[in-house]
Amino acid sequence: MSFRNEPILELRRATEREALLAALRELDARLPLTVPVLIGGERGAAAGLQSTDPGAPERLVAEAGQAGAAEAAAAVETAQRGFADWGSRPAAQRAEALRGAAARLRERRLELAALQVRECAKPWPEADADVCEAIDFLEYYALEALELERGRDLIQVPGERNRMRYAPRGVVAVIAPWNFPLAIPCGMTAAALAAGNAAVLKPAEQAPASAGALVDALHEGGVPREAVSLLPGYGEAGAALVSDPHVHVIAFTGSGAVGLEIVRAAAETPEGQGHVKRVVSEMGGKNCVIVDADADLDEAVPGIVQSAFAYAGQKCSAAARVLVHEAVADTLVERLAGATEVLRVGQAEEFATEVPPVIEREAQERVLGYGEIAEREGRVAGRAAPVPESGWFCPPAIAVGLPERSAVNREEIFGPLLSVTSVRGIEEACDVVDALPFALTGGLFSRNPATVERVAERLPVGNLYVNRGITGAMVGRQPFGGNRRSGIGAKAGGPDYLLQFVEPRVVTENTMRQGIPVE
Ligand SMILES: NC(=O)c1ccc[n+]([C@@H]2O[C@H](COP(=O)([O-])OP(=O)(O)OC[C@H]3O[C@@H](n4cnc5c(N)ncnc54)[C@H](O)[C@@H]3O)[C@@H](O)[C@H]2O)c1
């Protein structure tokens, strides 16, 4: 069995577009969806948390349960029971269930893409790619689990037998963000389950329905109910999971502020907790694209615009800064500004939309606030207009001339604002990147192989993309994750990822006297 990425839909075909719009109409007729707290076989309340359409905030997408500390404790207790069964199953059986879940997502892919359009204002191409990535995670980790079960080869000497195998850790708390509403919770949950752990999923409060669909698919695929529970809710439910002494691994993806708090809280070893928690924390970035004097600007401009503004800049991998050689800076700024001004800002459901609204009011206020700082401390060279009035829209903009210490240059904005800085050369560009606390993705446009090598050597980023856009990592092709304050952990969608969810055990046997009676 081998892995191949799930093919994305060909949206240039009218039939594909019509099928998606039909799925959206069907979904609309069913709104609001109901997403209860799901603990083992028990369906809890589906009230307390509402998710709304960022493009039309009066549209209620889902009415979900609001789990708190009590539900978190109950889910962990259930997961302990679930672990006893699931963790003792052979990898082949677990892999089959994960593949069953992938098949279920594939059957529902149009509907699930439509759900992301509504719940997170994710435009169709990104929504479709998100569903494909979720399928990929399930199938990739299913194969990795089989590989892991084989253990590792060790050196053997006469009279001694050495074996190394991997055992699941126990209960995994999965705490997910909203910006890849299906793929990211799916990746972390699938990895936990593939390795033989039980999982409790706490999705982002902005996207409970996508997570509900994931957990349904896992159950329908054959993962026992006690092995995966769903806790829709706010940060409080996540914090309760983090401090629970019966949780063994915390798999978190989200902001740096929350991630670092989790790392600190998880270090506690209260009385009665016989283990140290393992934390996987994938956090934010401030991703820079370097453009050298010899770059092909016809390639760089669309690559940068797409990386900065697709999904309104709300990808952790999105381009936030451009560091351009002074020899081509004016030309690049002029071209980027021109390309930004004509971007189509609109509703996610419209196929022509290039920049959708941001996720919520708070995000809109944050992004517009950074825009004001950019105007005060530098200049806005280009901005798209008009933007729709209702919905959490922010015009994509290019800021220039900002001092290095500006918050716009140093903090993660997570919205459609791109800062362009002129540098004297590649070394200075690398110095700027090196001085940032983040190291998630990065980009380089250059025609010189020596420059490519030099930059690849110098940049600390987890994923560097050369002469292309810097988003869209594919499972198995671009294992993904950041360094420094952008993340601690092995790369998602890569061969090391499952190792975080297991503990290695080595058994050494003296075989010299086997079979010889000792007495
Ligand atoms: N590195 C990556 O792979 C990656 C991928 C996607 C998103 N991100 C980052 O995620 C962020 C956007 O997502 P977000 O707004 O959902 O992030 P967030 O940190 O606000 O929330 C993430 C999750 O943590 C929960 N949470 C909040 N407070 C908590 C607490 N005290 N204890 C435990 N859990 C708590 C939230 O309810 C949510 O489920 C951006 O910073 C982005 O860069 C990183």
Side-chain angles (χ1 to χ4, degrees), residues 175-180 184 202-206 233-239 242 252-256 258-259 261-262 282-285 315-316 412 414 440 480-482 486:
I175 303 173
W178 51 266
N179 68 331
F180 285 81
I184 290 185
K202 206 306 275 175
E205 50 272 34
Q206 297 88 346
Y234 294 94
E236 173 206 4
V242 169
F252 168 83
T253 306
S255 63
V258 174
E261 196 181 317
I262 289 177
E282 300 301 338
M283 300 173 281
K315 299 183 189 180
C316 54
E412 185 184 48
F414 219 56
L440 189 43
F480 185 81
S486 291

Side-chain angles (χ1 to χ4, degrees), residues 266-482:
E268 296 292 332
T269 45
E271 201 56 38
Q273 178 185 310
H275 60 273
V276 181
K277 287 173 189 158
R278 179 78 182 249
V279 182
V280 178
S281 183
E282 300 301 338
M283 300 173 281
K286 188 74 188 174
N287 309 311
C288 302
V289 178
I290 299 174
V291 182
D292 202 4
D294 68 351
D296 178 352
L297 296 191
D298 289 344
E299 195 168 55
V301 171
I304 292 169
V305 168
Q306 171 75 14
S307 302
F309 300 132
Y311 196 29
Q314 301 173 109
K315 299 183 189 180
C316 54
S317 53
R321 297 188 63 178
V322 171
L323 305 168
V324 54
H325 193 291
E326 58 190 4
V328 292
D330 290 347
T331 315
L332 183 71
V333 167
E334 193 189 331
R335 291 187 60 177
L336 283 176
T340 303
E341 279 162 7
V342 298
L343 283 172
R344 174 94 165 245
V345 182
Q347 296 293 351
E349 70 192 80
E350 289 161 21
F351 285 95
T353 289
E354 289 167 297
V355 186
V358 294
I359 188 74
E360 57 197 357
R361 182 197 299 273
E362 197 190 333
Q364 184 192 43
E365 288 168 0
R366 183 185 68 237
V367 178
L368 296 179
Y370 279 109
E372 283 164 20
I373 299 176
E375 302 219 40
R376 249 192 343 264
E377 298 182 352
R379 176 171 71 83
V380 170
R383 180 184 271 141
V387 302
E389 276 180 11
S390 79
W392 313 125
F393 288 94
C394 298
I398 302 283
V400 295
L402 290 165
E404 190 48 40
R405 58 171 165 71
S406 169
V408 176
N409 276 341
R410 300 199 61 80
E411 294 168 11
E412 185 184 48
I413 298 172
F414 219 56
L417 177 58
L418 178 73
S419 168
V420 183
T421 307
S422 170
V423 292
R424 283 187 298 271
I426 286 297
E427 293 304 325
E428 186 182 327
C430 290
D431 290 343
V432 171
V433 178
D434 208 22
L436 291 169
F438 303 100
L440 189 43
T441 65
L444 169 67
F445 285 92
S446 165
R447 293 191 226 226
N448 184 342
T451 306
V452 174
E453 278 320 298
R454 175 71 183 143
V455 170
E457 199 177 289
R458 273 211 64 190
L459 290 196
V461 299
N463 290 72
L464 175 66
Y465 297 93
V466 180
N467 292 326
R468 51 155 284 177
I470 67 167
T471 62
M474 302 285 286
V475 170
R477 278 169 59 193
Q478 290 98 20
F480 185 81

